[in-house]
Each structure stands twice: as structure tokens, then as C-alpha cells.
Amino acid sequence: MGYAGTPGMTWGWLIAMIFIQCVAMSMAELCSAMPTSGGLYYAAAVLAPPGWGPLAAWITGWSNWLVQITGAPSVDYGMSAMILAAASIRDPTFVPQHYQVFLLTVFIMLIQSCVSSMPTNGYDAPFHLSEECSNANIASPRAIVLTSGVGGLFGWFLQLVVAYTVVDIDAALNSEVGSPYAAYLLQVLPQTATLAILALTIVCAFSMGQGCMVAASRVTFAYSRDDCFGSLSAITKRVNRHTLTPVNAVWFNTIVGIVMTVLIFGGDLAAGALFSIGAVAAFVAFTIPIFIRVFLGPKVNIEHQMLGRPQAAMDGLEQASSGSSSREDQGADIDKAARRGRRFLAVDAAHKHYGALVRIQPDHVSIADPDAIPVIYSHTGGWTKSNYYDAFVSIRRGLFNTRDRAEHTRKRKAISHTFSAKSISHFEQYIRSNLKELVTQWNKLADTAAQSGEEYADMDCLPWFNYAAFDIIGDLVRYRLPNGWGAHQLRAFGAPFGMLSRGKDIAEVRPTPNSPATYAPAIEVLNRRSEVSNTLGCYPALTPFAKYLPDPFFGNGAKAVENLAGMAFARVNQRLEAKEKGVSQRNDLLERLMEGKDENGEALGREELAAEAQTQLIAGSDTTSNTSCALLYWCLKTKGVMEKLQREIAEAVPDDTDVPSFDAVKDLP
């Protein structure tokens, strides 16, 4: 107000608040990934390029410590000035002296130190208190954003009130009362009201100073835990066994703060240095990890990474900052990687960097440990799916994406018989016919290569396994066509797609039996659907609006989701209508789904049946093709496996059989 007047204090505050909120949100992201005391310098070390971690941590750490230890003394100094100003208002003959301000400031700090030693705010305080919070990875970031946002908004309201009511700015700044704020209140309010508002302000200032003292003590404790204070760390890192708080760190900060308040005797300019030191140090401490995160750090979405307590020692920070996973290896942010269809690589890189437990979203933990499978999938374990799976719901929730335990149990009971040994034995005839077509196509490739003088045919197996999987799953949900319909009249999800015979990702689609044929790359459509759902899973709230986003990736993906849902609906409707007309049915996958009953004897409804049929189309084709390709890869890659496998099959299967039956190979070792 003294430098820029009322317009500057009004609009300057608002502009500064916007940028400060950006800083707060950036720190909230860091805190969500690394909820630990003194987390700023740890974040700087982890995110820094290889070799720069210790330096980044050193600069950030000491800058942040200066912010913390100057916070409480500066706030308490201002509060002492207000208290003594209130005394001057009551007794105009009283003029506060430097020693009185000093003693009152020290007294307040001693009280706050006692409170800070008990069990349990610059807006980064929740970052430093996160180890004493439950659900810290969510609660602390929210506290950071809310502290900044709410404080900034109400502060702006206060600025507006002052700007529109102040009478004489110079008089307020130069008043003998000793506090410009108190002098301003006297200009616009009676003495009693002024004292009342001052009292409320003093209470708020005490709370703020208290928050600064608590946060500072936890930062000092964290630094001591990492032996940043040398031999003194052995004392300041101790946790009191009665209060379970770092009492020694609290009183160490108090002593440093009292020494700093001696600057009061140097006059207003020297005392103002308390504020200046904190402001400059805060700028350095806050911007270094954010700058590294945005421009230099490893491109892994740190908002959704780490679960658990980070390494404490400074040498551990150096190791973390120059670990085995390079920036390129770790890929892009998980959400950005999903946008490019590479989400799995980002998650894999995060596991390689951080271990078996990785928090990839606030409520989504990825676990890469085979021993955890029976625990997580146990029906009594209490584990549930996160809202990531909401993005995969198109028709209605199915067995794959339902998040309700009771609903999952009901669906599992209704569908489980579909995959019994007896049911699967009925599917074998359809599976074998498509596998024979696969062998036929591969034999053609081998013959063509032999005619060209090549010993082997070079090919990419994954597309062929995709063709086979799609044709098989299409055959398993086929229905017997009424008289007069040719098999060519219905292809998509009602008969084999014909990909094996064509050797291409081209599927004929007829929404109705009499509609003109259209052709679509079914695998590409399915992949597009998976990519957009994986991306929206990072932001589930955007799912209903995906089709309206300007990025065609989302629009095309939403269209693919609708097309797949429409295909499933069409096939289910046609099968149900055919059944009502008495058309004989096949013992295939869709027939088994239609026969399913829950614990109350109720069959799946039309919509639910379509949802489960769509799940089988997506999960069956994608999982089958990828698993088949992986099995073939490791059989070929591992020395001796193919030779042994060929010998065992040759002993059990006649030479003229291209695709053996299950009974012929089920007893092989």
C-alpha cells in the first residue's frame, strides 16, 4: 500500500495469488509422490538429472530451512507489534520500546515451542507434517492447495476492504502507534471495535506463528535424520519417547529464532531482514524442485509414483538421483504415455525405479509381485479396483470393471460356469478349425519362402496371433443363421472375422443382415479403444466428455468404444431374437453366457449380457494373442526348449495331424 497505493495492493495481490497457487499446486504434486518431512529437498534430489542430485538437494534444503526458521520469529515479531499497539491505543502515553518488542516476541516463541513439542503454516507446512498424517499422500496435497487458495482468497477480500476504506495512507504508515494495521483500524472504527478486531488478528497471528514453528521443527528433524547438521544431528533427530515428537528439534529452532530476533535492536530496517531472508529463500526452495520437475527431471508422473518412506541418507539421495533408470528408459508421464499407447512402459519403468509397490494414481496402487496375486484376488482380502476402471465402462459395468464387491460376486457366480472344463470342451471344435486355418497360412508362407530359395520364412507372429484370436472369439459368439441367410452376411462378432483367410486386419461389418457391408480394421479399433480408455483412466471425470474434446484421439477413441458396444448389442439382440423364433443354438461362448444364473436364479439381462459379451471380445482376443506371442517368443529364445517340445509332440501326435485335440496333448509333461 505504501509503494503502489490502493490499486497496486488490490490487483497486485490477485495477480500474485494466481502465480502462488500454481506454485502450491506444483508442490502438492511433489508431496503426493513423496509425503515426507523436508520433502522439498528430497524431491529436488530425486528429480534432478544424474549427478546433480546432491547439489540440488543442498541448495533446496538449506534455502527451505532458512524459510522455516525465519517464519515463526517474523510472524511473532509482527504479532508483538500489534499487541503493543493495542496497549498504545488504550494508553496514548505508552510508546513501545525495542526491548519490549524483543521480550514479548521471545515470550510468544517460548509458548509456541511448548505447543510444538506436543503431539500433533506457509502453505508448504503440510508437506513437512505429512509423516504425522494418515492418508498423507492425499491429505497433505489437499491441505497445501486449500491453504494457499483459501488464504489467498480471504486475503484478497481483506485487501479490498482496506483499499476502499483507508482514509490516509501516510498517516497509517507513520503513526506512533507502531503498527500500520492498528493505525488504519483507528481511522475507520471506534477504539473499542479496533481493539476487538486487533484481538482477533492477534489470535490468527498466533496460530500462524504456531504453524510455522511446528513445520520448522519437522524440517529440522528431517534434516537431522539425514545428518545435515553434523554432530549436532545426533541430538536434534531424537524423538521424545513420551510425546513421540522431535522436541529437541523444536527447541533448537527456538534458540536460533531468539538469536535472530536480536536484530530488532537494529531498528525497523534490520528487523525487516527477517522477512526478506524468508521471502528470498522461499523463492529458491520452492522453484528449484518445480523447475527440475518441469524442465529437467525424469519424465515419470511423480504425482502417481511412490508408496512408502523414501531413503533418508544424503548418499541415498545421490543414488536416487543417478539411479539405473535413465530419463529415456522411464518414458513419459503415465498419462502422457497412455495418450501415446505406451502406458505399460511408463508403469514398468516406475516399478523398475521404485520397486514392487508403485502408486500410479492417488487411489491406484500397482503391485508387481507374484506373491501378491493370491492376496489381492482373494474374495476376503478387501482389495477393490480404483476409479481408473470407470473409463472402461461403456454399456454398463461388467465383470472386468465393476468396483462393487457384491456385484462382482453376483456376476462371477452367473458367468463362472461359462469357463468350466465341460463348457470349454464344447468350444474346442471352433478353436481347432481356426487354428487349422492359422497353420495353413503359415505353411503357405513357408512354401513361398522355399520356392524363393529361402530356408525359413520371416514373419511377425503377433499380427497372426491377433488374427487367430479375433477369428476364434468371433466364432465362439456366433449364432446359427436362419434359413436364407448366408454366412457371408454377418461377420463382426457373429462369425469368424475372416482375418486369417485374408491375412489382414480387415473385418466385414454389417449392423443388420440386409445392410451394406463395411470394412474396418478391428484390431486397430480395439487398440484405439484401449488406448483412450487407459488415458481417460488417469482422469476418470473426463470420460463423459471425451467425445467433445478437441483432440481427435479422444473423439476417435470414444467412437471406437461406441462401435464395440454397438457390435456387442447387435449380436446379443440377434441371438436372443433367434432364440425366441426357435432357431437352434450352438454350444458356444455366447450361449453359455445366456444360460448363466445368479444366486437368485436370475439370468443376465439384455444390457448386462451385451456388456459381458463385449468383455469376452476384448479380453479374450487381446489376452490370447499377446500370451500366445510371448509363449512362442520364449520357447524360441530359450535354448533347448523347441527341440524338447517337438520331440514330446511327435511322440503323442500322429504325423498327419496339424492341430491335435486337447485329449491328445493333455497328459504331456
Side-chain angles (χ1 to χ4, degrees):
M1 183 169 65
Y3 294 103
T6 54
M9 66 180 287
T10 301
W11 300 111
W13 180 284
L14 185 61
I15 294 172
M17 182 186 120
I18 294 173
F19 287 101
I20 289 174
Q21 189 66 14
C22 293
V23 174
M25 295 177 72
S26 298
M27 283 197 298
E29 183 188 32
L30 297 175
C31 181
S32 177
M34 308 169 198
T36 179
S37 297
L40 285 175
Y41 89 112
Y42 177 78
V46 170
L47 297 173
W52 292 90
L55 178 61
W58 192 90
I59 297 175
T60 303
W62 288 115
S63 298
N64 187 42
W65 189 69
L66 288 176
V67 177
Q68 301 303 323
I69 62 169
T70 59
S74 61
V75 172
D76 294 343
Y77 165 71
M79 179 171 55
S80 299
M82 281 192 289
I83 294 174
L84 294 175
S88 296
I89 293 173
R90 291 296 301 265
D91 182 5
T93 62
F94 173 71
V95 178
Q97 303 298 315
H98 290 318
Y99 79 92
Q100 294 170 323
V101 179
F102 172 77
L103 291 176
L104 184 56
T105 302
V106 171
F107 177 69
I108 294 171
M109 290 178 62
L110 293 175
I111 295 175
Q112 292 173 342
S113 298
C114 293
V115 176
S116 299
S117 299
M118 300 176 184
T120 357
N121 252 320
Y123 51 76
D124 64 326
F127 206 149
H128 311 303
L129 299 177
S130 56
E131 290 185 9
E132 298 175 41
C133 301
S134 60
N135 202 22
N137 60 294
I138 297 176
S140 293
R142 287 177 179 172
I144 291 174
V145 175
L146 288 175
T147 300
S148 173
V150 175
L153 185 62
F154 280 93
W156 187 55
F157 289 155
L158 178 61
Q159 295 289 86
L160 286 175
V161 172
V162 174
Y164 279 97
T165 57
V166 65
V167 176
D168 188 335
I169 295 178
D170 290 335
L173 294 175
N174 300 314
S175 172
E176 293 184 356
V177 172
S179 171
Y181 179 62
Y184 152 74
L185 291 176
L186 282 174
Q187 291 182 5
V188 298
L189 293 172
Q191 184 185 88
T192 303
T194 297
L195 291 173
I197 293 179
L198 270 180
L200 291 175
T201 307
I202 290 168
V203 172
C204 293
F206 182 86
S207 299
M208 181 178 178
Q210 182 65 68
C212 292
M213 181 70 76
V214 173
S217 65
R218 274 47 175 184
V219 171
T220 298
F221 163 71
Y223 289 12
S224 301
R225 189 173 55 187
D226 293 347
D227 294 327
C228 293
F229 297 103
S231 58
L232 185 62
S233 298
I235 300 175
T236 51
K237 69 181 178 182
R238 293 177 185 170
V239 175
N240 187 279
R241 64 179 180 178
H242 300 292
T243 63
L244 300 180
T245 56
V247 174
N248 292 353
V250 172
W251 290 100
F252 171 73
N253 282 358
T254 302
I255 294 172
V256 174
I258 291 174
V259 172
M260 295 180 66
T261 55
V262 174
L263 289 172
I264 292 174
F265 294 101
D268 294 338
L269 184 62
L274 286 175
F275 297 96
S276 299
I277 292 174
V280 174
F283 177 81
V284 174
F286 297 163
T287 55
I288 286 180
I290 295 173
F291 179 85
I292 296 174
R293 163 74 175 108
V294 175
F295 297 105
L296 303 176
K299 299 299 184 181
V300 176
N301 191 343
I302 56 91
E303 180 185 1
H304 307 143
Q305 276 184 359
M306 189 183 303
L307 182 68
R309 179 177 173 180
Q311 294 181 357
M314 290 294 290
D315 56 352
L317 295 179
E318 182 176 5
Q319 179 182 357
S321 66
S322 58
S324 58
S325 296
S326 67
R327 292 170 58 186
E328 182 178 358
D329 290 339
Q330 292 193 19
D333 294 344
I334 289 179
D335 48 355
K336 296 177 183 177
R339 167 63 179 81
R340 298 199 305 271
R342 300 170 65 85
R343 179 180 183 275
F344 65 99
L345 291 177
V347 174
D348 181 63
H351 277 296
K352 289 178 179 177
H353 193 72
Y354 294 104
L357 297 177
V358 176
R359 177 161 50 83
I360 56 178
Q361 289 179 222
D363 297 321
H364 189 171
V365 176
S366 177
I367 303 177
D369 188 338
D371 293 336
I373 293 176
V375 178
I376 294 173
Y377 285 99
S378 170
H379 298 299
T380 59
W383 293 79
T384 57
K385 293 181 176 179
S386 75
N387 58 1
Y388 165 81
Y389 290 88
D390 292 348
F392 292 83
V393 180
S394 57
I395 300 173
R396 62 172 293 173
R397 291 192 182 276
L399 185 65
F400 166 70
N401 47 45
T402 183
R403 297 170 59 201
D404 182 84
R405 182 169 294 277
E407 179 70 2
H408 185 274
T409 300
R410 187 189 73 82
K411 289 179 179 293
R412 184 170 52 83
K413 184 174 180 61
I415 295 172
S416 59
H417 79 288
T418 304
F419 303 99
S420 66
K422 181 179 180 181
S423 294
I424 292 177
S425 67
H426 293 152
F427 303 159
E428 184 177 358
Q429 55 181 316
Y430 312 120
I431 297 173
R432 288 186 67 194
S433 64
N434 286 282
L435 291 179
K436 287 179 180 179
E437 180 65 25
L438 174 64
V439 173
T440 298
Q441 295 297 329
W442 282 11
N443 284 337
K444 288 181 180 179
L445 292 175
D447 293 340
T448 301
Q451 293 172 4
S452 302
E454 301 290 338
E455 186 177 1
Y456 299 101
D458 292 331
M459 66 175 181
D460 185 352
C461 294
L462 181 57
W464 284 102
F465 280 126
N466 274 319
Y467 304 155
F470 266 80
D471 278 3
I472 289 171
I473 199 68
D475 210 0
L476 288 178
V477 291
R478 182 182 182 181
Y479 70 93
R480 186 161 298 171
L481 303 174
N483 292 334
W485 287 19
H488 66 281
Q489 289 181 292
L490 187 63
R491 291 298 181 195
F493 202 28
F497 285 87
M499 292 185 185
L500 282 172
S501 60
R502 296 186 183 93
K504 295 181 180 179
D505 178 20
I506 295 294
E508 181 182 330
V509 180
R510 294 176 185 260
T512 65
N514 297 320
S515 63
T518 59
Y519 296 88
I523 298 173
E524 181 181 335
V525 170
L526 181 58
N527 288 341
R528 185 180 300 128
R529 179 261 185 193
S530 299
E531 290 168 3
V532 76
S533 296
N534 271 313
T535 305
L536 291 172
C538 300
Y539 308 99
L542 291 179
T543 302
F545 313 104
K547 65 175 69 175
Y548 306 111
L549 296 176
D551 187 346
F553 168 81
F554 293 101
N556 294 337
K559 185 64 176 177
V561 172
E562 293 177 358
N563 287 341
L564 286 170
M567 290 166 59
F569 254 130
R571 301 295 80 76
V572 169
N573 286 339
Q574 290 166 353
R575 177 68 75 90
L576 291 175
E577 291 170 2
K579 191 172 185 178
E580 292 172 357
K581 295 177 181 179
V583 178
S584 59
Q585 307 297 308
R586 307 162 80 232
N587 287 323
D588 58 13
L589 185 61
L590 189 53
E591 181 67 18
R592 298 282 81 78
L593 289 174
M594 293 168 60
E595 292 175 350
K597 301 287 192 300
D598 61 17
E599 66 273 13
N600 298 320
E602 299 291 333
L604 299 178
R606 189 178 296 257
E607 186 178 79
E608 188 173 14
L609 186 59
E612 298 305 337
Q614 182 189 33
T615 297
Q616 301 311 317
L617 169 66
I618 297 170
S621 57
D622 189 60
T623 304
T624 301
S625 58
N626 289 336
T627 303
S628 300
C629 190
L631 287 172
L632 180 58
Y633 171 80
W634 287 109
C635 285
L636 293 171
K637 182 178 177 63
T638 308
K639 185 178 180 180
V641 171
M642 284 299 296
E643 292 79 0
K644 181 180 180 181
L645 184 60
Q646 288 171 341
R647 286 196 304 270
E648 292 177 353
I649 293 177
E651 294 174 359
V653 179
D655 293 338
D656 59 347
T657 301
D658 288 332
V659 180
S661 66
F662 173 70
D663 288 336
V665 297
K666 67 179 182 181
D667 294 327
L668 291 178

